[in-house]
Amino acid sequence: MTAGLLLDLLLALAVLGTAAWTLAARSQFAAVIGFVVTGLLLTLVWVRLGAVDVALTEAAIGAGATGVILLYVVARLRGGEAEISAATPSRAQRALAALLALSVGGALAYGVLSLPDPAPSLAEAALAGTAPLGLGNPVSAVLMAHRGLDTLLEAIVLVFAVLAVWSMAADHRWGGRPGPVFQREEHGPLSLLARILPPVGIVIGIYIAWVGADSPGGKFQGGTILAAMWVLPWIAGLVRPPSVTDWRLRLMIAIGPLTFLAVGLAGFVVAEGFLAYPPGFAKPLILLIEAAMTLSVAAALACLIAGPPERRRRA
Amino acid sequence: MTATTPEGWLLVLALTLPAGAMLLAFVAGGRHAQRIALGALALWLVIAFAIALQVQRGGAPLAYLIGGWQPPLGMALRADGLSAAMLLTGAVVLLAVALFGRAPYATPRGAQETRAAYAYWCFLPALAASLAAAFLGGDLFNLFVALEMLTFTALALACLDGKPSQFKSELRYLLFALIGSVLYLLGAGLLYGAHGTLDIALLAGRTRADAPTLVAGALMTAGLIAKMALFPLHLWLPPAHAGAPAAASALLSGLVVKGAFVLLLRLWFWVLPAPVVLNGGTLLAALGAAAILIGSVVALRQERLKLLVAYSTVAQMGYLFLMFPLLAAGDAETASRAWLGGVLQAVSHALAKAAMFLGAGLIAASLGHDRVAALGGAARVMPITVIAFAMGGLSLMGLPPSGGFGAKWLLLRASVETGQWWWSLVILSGGLLTGGYVYRIVAAALAPPAPGCEARPVPRAQELCVLALALASILLGLVPLKDLGLVRVGAP
């Protein structure tokens, strides 16, 4: 008990410490590293709280994918010192932001401390609703059944996001391949890693997505790992993304929400209504949606990391 | 207990049709994207009309339990009069803007897909889906997802021109919008922690003026008014809306900001307990009054037409906040009047402002600039556009007969009846200032052309879209008030 408490205290201090360090960091690169470390420590916090699904998501999306995007931004910002210093907030603005953050933090702390104890919870209802669906992970039951509409709309938001990023391209580059060109590396650690890691990583990604029905894991976490397994050889110059006008790429991004929507609407005919599953068929249908969604999450995240097309379309 | 009503499936259709259309347009691209979007938006209008008809006839809200799961574990879509009226408004404005965009975002047969056209025809159904989620959502977290959908859609639509200069003001918008989303989400989390549900109908009976509810209410309100650009959080709006292409500006100013408005109404009149609304409403209305006066004065001083129209949005959004103290303080009849006035303001502003932004876009395209001082000759080249613009202006001023008149008249009466006469002074002076800036533009457009000024004619089809929206904002004022009972169905 005391050992656990000590660990929690250390973790909390470490999260606060790395967060403060991130804010105080002089260079952008250091700040991003601080951000990623904070995210990884938060992952441990979630594990300590027993929320393994959230921990996996924090590690994959919060620290992993966001960290990669931020590192990429830091690299792209090199040479733009004038613009960066012009856009850097002044001392007064920063003080104002700090004041705002402190007051929000203070209000939140006050609110949280005055929450009823024990807190009202739907955990039991969710647990009771898990087994009838043939699932073992109540988190998946909430995401795919009880609050299926949230997940469906989030899946659609992912398509919005890819399209929004693409639409920031210059007009004459439409139809080109997303992102910059990387020199093909035949030797060196990156090239080696990009060749040997993906086979293993792809298996792990699919596994994490697959076990989501019964254990912590699922489409978002698995899809993120799959996206990373594409980004690595892309940065090593071994693979190139397809053009943004390639319908196969677009279909891959949209197939998850399209499948989800189709299964949901089929519920009108074969089950009790929209997003209801016919008895006995809940798990296979959920697995079908999860499989399509894993593919879409992977493709969408890879596209979000690569960014808008940066070269002209080939004649 | 919520139960699925017989016509509840219409709500699912209103959400899934545009969402599915967006996904199909995204995959198909090119000319197909345009066809899919136009077809879906036309059908969406039919669905919105059917929902409004069902709500009006039945006199009771529609509801649909997703997957048959009962809240609090599951979630419901609901359509009361507010949802139905806003959905119908959204459908009318979106279809008109879509038809307006057929010329500038066309993909000729055999031509390669272009970036702007592809983004435009994908994001129109995307906006429809986002609005449906925001207007029909019955669950605070589901509404958060709707807010996220709206943010992405608004951002992409505003950057449709692909001008780097626009990215800067959109980045500022994104910052405001995301901070707003985070504050909203934190508040929703607190409410769940305190009451064990996110369902609005269930929360309505459970909240008391305790610490978590108050903090949550404050955070969520701050987040939503940042998204609605209420004074003093309005600075992001004018450059973001004025810099976008005309069709996008019309959607941003007419519809996107109304999504957060509906959420704010749900939060204040369903979730928060009555004493909070009574005390906090006056503060919101005071900010609204400041928005009306300051926004109108700043609009009066603008040199550019589109910026002027954008500042007018800041002012007109201010009127929406006047209903808060009036609803809380009055007896049933006065409260009902304030409610109708507020919602009518949202609807008529959406129609009028969309018409005015489209009109401003046509004027700018024809003259090659949008300097207010040099609009001379515009009325000769495009009389329909200038008339439509003036009609939209009349509605904003609150002159009869127009939707804006109905809205402002109801709010005025409610303010007198509740003894809060000071709001009526704000409404009247806001109307005068609005008259000032609308007159400035119309007078300039009616002036003879400056020598050397060459105005190009604009497509008649586009002018007719502007006219249709402006006429709708006027005709709204001719509907007898008793027929607007739709808005009162399920009102707080």
Side-chain angles (χ1 to χ4, degrees):
Chain A
M1 188 63 201
T2 28
L5 202 65
L6 202 67
L7 181 64
D8 289 345
L9 197 67
L10 277 176
L11 256 181
L13 284 176
V15 169
L16 286 176
T18 50
W21 189 79
T22 307
L23 283 176
R26 289 263 163 210
S27 84
Q28 293 151 349
F29 181 74
V32 175
I33 298 302
F35 172 84
V36 172
V37 173
T38 313
L40 292 175
L41 286 170
L42 269 178
T43 305
L44 294 179
V45 172
W46 288 117
V47 173
R48 284 292 299 160
L49 289 170
V52 185
D53 281 277
V54 185
L56 274 173
T57 313
E58 173 66 43
I61 310 264
T66 317
V68 170
I69 291 177
L70 287 176
L71 275 179
Y72 188 47
V73 170
V74 169
R76 308 276 320 236
L77 282 175
R78 276 190 197 133
E81 272 80 14
E83 279 97 343
I84 295 171
S85 63
T88 306
S90 66
R91 201 171 272 273
Q93 281 172 313
R94 274 192 253 185
L96 206 67
L99 197 69
L100 183 72
L102 275 178
S103 48
V104 169
L108 263 184
Y110 175 61
V112 168
L113 289 175
S114 42
L115 283 179
D117 190 24
S121 167
L122 295 173
E124 277 188 30
L127 269 177
T130 303
L133 292 164
L135 302 177
N137 182 5
V139 176
S140 285
V142 169
L143 290 180
M144 299 305 297
H146 311 141
R147 300 189 64 91
L149 185 63
D150 281 343
T151 314
L152 171 61
L153 292 183
E154 290 282 13
I156 293 172
V157 169
L158 214 51
V159 182
F160 283 20
V162 171
L163 186 56
V165 167
W166 282 357
S167 70
M168 305 293 155
D171 276 329
H172 64 278
R173 288 178 180 150
W174 191 249
R177 296 167 190 274
V181 190
F182 289 98
Q183 283 300 317
R184 188 180 170 92
E185 290 193 27
E186 295 297 345
H187 304 287
L190 182 63
S191 163
L192 185 69
L193 205 63
R195 282 167 213 265
I196 61 168
L197 203 56
V200 184
I202 289 170
V203 173
I204 294 176
I206 294 174
Y207 172 75
I208 298 266
W210 167 257
V211 298
D214 294 317
S215 321
K219 51 199 173 300
F220 280 101
Q221 299 92 329
T224 313
I225 296 174
L226 289 181
M229 291 309 118
W230 178 83
V231 167
L232 202 57
W234 171 58
I235 291 178
L238 302 178
V239 294
R240 292 197 305 168
S243 146
V244 291
T245 47
D246 190 332
W247 67 271
R248 285 162 299 184
L249 174 66
R250 292 178 179 178
L251 185 62
M252 203 164 140
I253 294 167
I255 191 76
L258 274 174
T259 308
F260 206 158
L261 199 60
V263 171
L265 289 173
F268 273 123
V269 186
V270 298
E272 282 173 45
F274 181 62
L275 281 176
Y277 303 103
F281 286 92
K283 187 167 180 186
L285 284 173
I286 288 174
L287 283 178
L288 175 73
I289 298 171
E290 293 255 328
M293 278 301 302
T294 305
L295 198 63
S296 287
V297 168
L301 280 178
C303 286
L304 289 178
I305 289 172
E310 291 182 26
R311 281 156 294 158
R312 247 170 233 282
R313 140 166 53 201
R314 284 199 185 174
Chain B
M1 288 285 273
T2 306
T4 296
T5 53
E7 293 81 18
W9 56 272
L10 280 171
L11 310 184
V12 175
L13 218 54
L15 180 58
T16 52
L17 173 91
M22 186 272 170
L23 294 172
L24 291 179
F26 175 82
V27 176
R31 288 168 65 81
H32 301 295
Q34 177 177 348
R35 284 202 203 110
I36 294 169
L38 279 172
L41 289 174
L43 257 177
W44 198 55
L45 178 60
V46 175
I47 297 170
F49 190 75
I51 291 175
L53 204 65
Q54 290 296 343
V55 173
Q56 167 114 345
R57 270 199 197 152
L62 303 184
Y64 192 89
L65 295 181
I66 303 292
W69 299 93
Q70 185 71 233
L73 189 60
M75 48 212 243
L77 295 177
R78 291 195 190 90
D80 52 10
L82 171 68
S83 317
M86 294 309 295
L87 202 66
L88 193 55
T89 311
V92 169
V93 172
L94 258 169
L95 187 61
V97 172
L99 292 172
F100 179 91
R102 276 173 61 182
Y105 300 105
T107 309
R109 187 180 296 280
Q112 275 181 325
E113 177 187 283
T114 59
R115 180 196 61 86
Y118 178 59
Y120 185 74
W121 294 113
C122 284
F123 273 115
L124 286 191
L127 179 58
S130 318
L131 289 172
F135 295 155
L136 302 175
D139 178 283
L140 288 178
F141 182 77
N142 198 242
L143 288 172
F144 167 76
V145 184
L147 280 179
E148 291 295 276
M149 294 167 77
L150 277 172
T151 304
F152 278 120
T153 309
L155 185 75
L157 280 172
C159 292
L160 214 53
D161 272 349
K163 284 184 301 194
S165 59
Q166 182 67 7
F167 291 167
K168 208 169 174 179
S169 42
E170 292 316 318
L171 210 54
R172 180 152 41 150
Y173 160 68
L174 188 64
L175 215 58
F176 270 91
L178 289 183
I179 290 175
S181 294
V182 169
L183 293 178
Y184 176 91
L185 186 61
L186 289 172
L190 263 184
L191 284 178
Y192 176 76
H195 307 290
T197 179
L198 289 162
D199 183 73
I200 290 173
L202 288 177
L203 277 170
R206 294 192 192 178
T207 52
R208 276 166 287 106
D210 50 9
T213 307
L214 289 179
V215 173
L219 291 173
M220 295 169 88
T221 305
L224 290 172
I225 64 175
K227 285 174 181 285
M228 290 173 70
L230 174 63
F231 176 87
L233 302 175
H234 64 287
L235 286 174
W236 63 264
L237 187 142
H241 285 193
S249 310
L251 297 173
L252 297 174
S253 251
L255 298 179
V256 172
V257 283
K258 306 298 189 311
F261 170 63
V262 171
L263 263 69
L264 192 69
L265 291 181
R266 298 268 179 239
L267 175 68
W268 276 66
F269 297 111
W270 276 266
V271 175
L272 293 182
V276 179
V277 179
L278 196 60
N279 296 320
T282 308
L283 177 66
L284 280 188
L287 292 178
I292 294 172
L293 298 176
I294 294 170
S296 300
V297 169
V298 178
L300 205 52
R301 298 163 49 93
Q302 290 305 307
E303 294 302 322
R304 310 297 290 251
L305 180 55
K306 288 191 81 181
L307 266 175
L308 190 159
V309 182
Y311 269 105
S312 146
T313 297
V314 172
Q316 292 291 322
M317 291 298 285
Y319 285 97
L320 298 176
F321 293 89
L322 297 183
M323 70 193 278
F324 286 79
L326 302 178
L327 244 161
D331 56 24
E333 202 180 329
T334 308
S336 164
R337 221 165 263 144
W339 175 257
L340 186 55
V343 178
L344 203 54
Q345 165 70 10
V347 172
S348 66
H349 175 250
L351 295 166
K353 190 48 65 71
M356 290 172 83
F357 256 126
L358 294 184
L362 281 183
I363 293 173
S366 166
L367 299 179
H369 69 81
D370 75 336
R371 289 190 309 279
V372 176
L375 291 183
R380 279 193 204 170
V381 186
M382 41 196 154
I384 299 180
T385 303
V386 173
I387 289 174
F389 190 96
M391 277 162 49
L394 284 184
S395 186
L396 292 195
M397 274 183 245
L399 285 187
S402 68
F405 166 72
K408 277 140 200 162
W409 172 247
L410 287 163
L411 288 172
L412 203 69
R413 265 189 76 178
S415 73
V416 173
E417 282 166 1
T418 50
Q420 304 180 34
W421 50 269
W422 43 90
W423 305 128
S424 44
L425 291 185
V426 175
I427 295 172
L428 291 173
S429 26
L432 280 178
L433 289 167
T434 313
Y437 62 71
V438 173
Y439 173 77
R440 248 190 89 202
I441 299 164
V442 176
L446 287 172
C453 157
E454 280 183 34
R456 278 174 297 149
V458 291
R460 180 56 60 88
Q462 283 189 305
E463 288 201 281
L464 290 179
C465 293
V466 185
L467 187 66
L469 283 170
L471 270 178
S473 82
I474 296 284
L475 290 177
L476 198 60
L478 297 178
V479 179
L481 281 183
K482 68 170 171 44
D483 288 336
L484 291 172
L486 167 70
V487 176
R488 294 200 172 100
V489 174

